[in-house]
Amino acid sequence: MSSGLAGASISGMNSNNSNNSNNSNNSNNSNNSNAAMLTGSVGGAGGGRTIGVAPAVEAANPTEPAHLLWWPADGWPVANPPRTVLDGAVERPPHLHEFYPLAAPARFKPANWGPYWHARALLGAFDRQFAQKVAAGGDFVKLLPPAPKNGWTSLSGNVSEVVFSDASAVAGPDFAASQPGRHRLDRELIELVGLIEYRPGMMREGFEQADSFDAFFSAVRTFNRISHPATAKLLALAVEIGTHVAQRYKLAHNRPRPSQLCAALAPPIDPPEHAAYPSGHATQAWLAAWVLDAAMAGALAPAVVPAGQPPSRRLRNPLHDMARRIARNRETMGLHYPSDSEAGRRLARAAWLALDEMRAAPLTLVAPDETGAPQELAVLDLDALFDEANAEWAL
């Protein structure tokens, strides 16, 4: 799965460039998650820094000839030229904490939060909301990844098949029941082998999306964490929630990767170290598309077809097309079955329905005050964050 807003650069299509897929597909890799977001820094730390020992500006022996000058070495804090502090009646060299004044007052502003760290702080609240919707049952549960008929690997007799239920009542007409036989294991493997010939045309794109697909969404409408900070936080939230919820169902279903059943697939990168179903990339990308739809106030939603006009006249939603493309690329690379992608799309829709309901009330957290008594702390007004994002796109 995509590891955040890493924006990886691929220098070629050598599979060794992507053999780090176990890392590049680990969404909990904080180094990746806090790397560059599009054109800026996600975590507020664009990289490390080394503070060594540098020569002082003033020479230790300024009256000597130039060729004999030498300079004291400075670490940090800077100790040259030497200074003293008055401690009562005694003048002494300063302690390290006395070199510079302490900064006060200071506060950690909302803008200081990197989008991905901000998103991770909200996963517990999402878990509670999602669990409540699952417990309520009804058509919402039909969006969740179903168990297969006849196990995951049966290719003779009663062939393995994934059958998706009709969830259109809760999620819309695009979530009708799947066609019989569409997601039979034998048919899906034959389809994946047929996609191999398309790899040369999409390989570089697929490699980049293995690390991060955020830059592909910003290609639809340009933004980054500097120009659109609320939008960036919402995109990060979608990616983190998509990762989180997909991994739980992957662990529950433990579906083998296509290349474990079909040697002809020979994926150009090593499959990640987690199960296939549902597709994490599909879950993340589709949830990102729906979240960005709301963040952009529906500016890219398809136009309504006038009465009497054929559906073919309807404009396409580029965010949805990008999500579909990202998921399909994972199939073309032999990493996922089409049913993995469909399960990810439906799971993303369920996650979006739960996330959208979280906008109804500000999120809070209980913590003790200075006396040990419980107090409720405000964490985030999610609806206000969407309003901020809408305002970013209204300018």
Side-chain angles (χ1 to χ4, degrees):
M1 289 188 289
S2 169
S3 59
L5 303 171
S9 173
I10 305 298
S11 60
M13 291 192 295
N14 187 321
S15 63
N16 288 330
N17 290 340
S18 55
N19 278 340
N20 252 346
S21 61
N22 294 332
N23 288 333
S24 66
N25 288 278
N26 176 4
S27 298
N28 291 323
N29 186 324
S30 61
N31 292 328
N32 287 343
S33 298
N34 291 280
M37 173 191 173
L38 310 178
T39 60
S41 168
V42 174
R49 61 184 55 82
T50 299
I51 297 181
V53 179
V57 174
E58 301 294 336
N61 56 339
T63 61
E64 298 287 336
H67 69 282
L68 296 177
L69 294 180
W70 65 275
W71 293 263
D74 271 330
W76 190 267
V78 173
N80 291 291
R83 56 180 288 266
T84 61
V85 297
L86 194 62
D87 190 353
V90 179
E91 193 168 346
R92 60 170 175 79
H95 299 299
L96 286 178
H97 69 273
E98 295 173 317
F99 274 79
Y100 305 122
L102 299 179
R107 70 186 182 93
F108 203 86
K109 302 175 183 178
N112 296 137
W113 274 93
Y116 273 81
W117 295 115
H118 184 267
R120 290 168 186 169
L122 305 178
L123 290 179
F126 172 80
D127 264 348
R128 290 189 293 273
Q129 181 68 29
F130 194 80
Q132 289 174 10
K133 290 192 70 65
V134 172
D139 285 340
F140 177 84
V141 177
K142 295 179 180 178
L143 286 169
L144 306 180
K149 292 171 58 178
N150 308 315
W152 284 122
T153 60
S154 177
L155 283 165
S156 62
N158 295 322
V159 177
S160 174
E161 181 179 1
V162 180
V163 179
F164 295 100
S165 301
D166 183 0
S168 57
V170 67
D174 291 337
F175 295 88
S178 57
Q179 298 177 353
R182 171 65 184 90
H183 298 296
R184 275 174 45 125
L185 178 57
D186 53 351
R187 174 174 173 171
E188 290 197 315
L189 288 173
I190 292 171
E191 179 176 338
L192 295 184
V193 172
L195 294 177
I196 292 175
E197 65 179 286
Y198 294 89
R199 288 181 185 173
M202 56 69 59
M203 192 78 79
R204 184 184 179 96
E205 179 182 341
F207 282 171
E208 292 178 3
Q209 290 168 354
D211 278 343
S212 170
F213 52 67
D214 305 79
F216 290 85
F217 280 111
S218 75
V220 174
R221 290 195 78 180
T222 302
F223 69 94
N224 58 53
R225 75 179 296 260
I226 307 302
S227 65
H228 296 73
T231 303
K233 285 183 177 178
L234 288 170
L235 175 57
L237 183 60
V239 173
E240 285 294 305
I241 287 176
T243 301
H244 184 67
V245 72
Q247 289 294 342
R248 292 166 61 180
Y249 283 95
K250 284 175 179 284
L251 186 60
H253 288 293
N254 277 319
R255 186 181 198 179
R257 294 279 174 170
S259 56
Q260 292 181 261
L261 298 177
C262 180
L265 289 174
I269 63 176
D270 290 341
E273 292 180 314
H274 49 75
Y277 176 87
S279 165
H281 270 69
T283 309
Q284 292 171 313
W286 275 105
L287 184 53
W290 283 309
V291 166
L292 289 174
D293 265 340
M296 297 175 183
L300 295 179
V304 176
V305 180
Q309 296 293 316
S312 60
R313 299 277 176 87
R314 187 183 185 191
L315 296 176
R316 299 178 68 89
N317 184 320
L319 295 171
H320 296 187
D321 278 352
M322 186 57 72
R324 189 177 292 107
R325 180 185 186 93
I326 290 167
R328 185 61 164 172
N329 282 345
R330 301 295 281 180
E331 297 169 21
T332 305
M333 295 174 80
L335 301 171
H336 280 293
Y337 310 85
S339 52
D340 295 342
S341 299
E342 177 61 11
R345 184 179 76 96
R346 289 172 176 252
L347 181 58
R349 191 62 181 175
W352 166 243
L353 294 176
L355 182 63
D356 194 37
E357 289 187 6
M358 288 172 61
R359 299 169 61 177
L363 307 179
T364 60
L365 184 70
V366 174
D369 62 16
E370 65 275 9
T371 68
Q375 64 173 343
E376 200 169 68
L377 302 177
V379 176
L380 177 71
D381 186 336
L382 189 58
D383 196 48
L385 186 60
F386 273 99
D387 288 342
E388 290 176 30
N390 292 165
E392 291 169 354
W393 294 100
L395 298 177

